[in-house]
Amino acid sequence: MTVDDWLADTRTSYDTVAVDYAHLVRDFLANAPYERAALALFAELVATAGGGPVADVGCGPGRITAHLGTLGVDAFGIDLSPGMIAVARRDHPNLRFAVGSMTDLSLADSSVAGLIAWYSLIHIPDDQLGAVLAHFRRVLRPGGPLLLGFHVGDETTLKTEGYGGHPMKIKVHRRQPATVSARLRESGFRVESETTLTSPESKLGAIIFARREP
């Protein structure tokens, strides 16, 4: 399968489920204290580093973008799915959202003070992960914080239905924190923290804090 093939499948799948997905996940953070703490720490790290725009890459319906906004972060969202971006703009009209792909991130070099990918790397195949992380490093300012959330595991599964029973065709790649941390170091990041947890966000999830090395 080519990059264009799985990107097209992912885009179409999330366009199809966008409205139901947004409804389903809307209140997840209310019951996820550890994730809220991680997001608050991320906001603090961005502020300590001098502040500035923060990219929520793979933002979906914009709920994390909006939560960061309540923490004083100048966050904006990017997502592959136009359907998701339409829902994000509907629900959060005061925030900035754009259609785009993390495989070809159209942001200027060193243009963001922080970057978050919240359970959005899970659809990136292993052979594309290095290129995505290279884009993350490119657009981050030196020393800028990176926050990743993802499902933990060792398997890849094909999701054919979800979020209201709609048909989907997406692969979900679960990874071990040590594996992701190693890929980050290879890509020019300093890993500062790894945490695993369970919550409404994930039956077994991981959160990694890293910084772009100079």
Side-chain angles (χ1 to χ4, degrees), residues 7-18 81 84 159 162-163 166-170:
L7 281 175
D9 288 340
T10 303
R11 181 186 297 111
T12 299
S13 293
Y14 278 108
D15 281 348
T16 301
V17 303
S81 162
M84 285 290 189
K159 189 178 183 71
Y163 314 117
H166 298 286
M168 302 184 78
K169 185 183 178 183
I170 52 171

Side-chain angles (χ1 to χ4, degrees), residues 9 24-25 32 44 48 52 55 67 74 100 107 110 122 127 137 170 181 193:
D9 288 340
L24 177 68
V25 304
E44 180 182 338
T48 300
H67 184 77
D74 179 20
L107 297 172
S110 302
I122 61 173
D127 63 355
R137 185 187 186 281
I170 52 171
S181 289
S193 174

Side-chain angles (χ1 to χ4, degrees), residues 169-188:
K169 185 183 178 183
I170 52 171
K171 286 187 176 180
V172 178
H173 305 279
R174 292 173 174 82
R175 299 181 173 100
Q176 294 295 332
T179 301
V180 177
S181 289
R183 298 296 298 269
L184 284 166
R185 294 185 183 99
E186 292 169 2
S187 301

Side-chain angles (χ1 to χ4, degrees), residues 46-129:
V46 170
T48 300
V54 168
D56 178 7
V57 182
C59 67
R63 65 191 180 95
I64 301 299
T65 324
H67 184 77
L68 290 172
T70 69
L71 299 174
V73 177
D74 179 20
F76 64 96
I78 298 171
D79 199 90
L80 179 67
S81 162
M84 285 290 189
I85 291 299
V87 172
R89 288 170 174 165
R90 180 199 69 187
D91 291 348
H92 312 288
N94 58 319
L95 298 178
R96 308 186 306 281
F97 296 99
V99 176
S101 174
M102 65 178 71
T103 62
D104 187 20
L105 203 52
S106 58
L107 297 172
D109 295 359
S110 302
S111 61
V112 297
L115 191 148
I116 181 170
W118 196 251
Y119 293 92
S120 54
L121 284 176
I122 61 173
H123 302 306
I124 302 297
D126 287 343
D127 63 355
Q128 296 295 315
L129 187 58

Side-chain angles (χ1 to χ4, degrees), residues 20-38:
D20 285 330
Y21 177 87
H23 178 73
L24 177 68
V25 304
R26 181 171 288 118
D27 297 323
F28 273 10
L29 277 180
N31 299 303
Y34 298 105
E35 282 91 342
R36 293 200 309 274

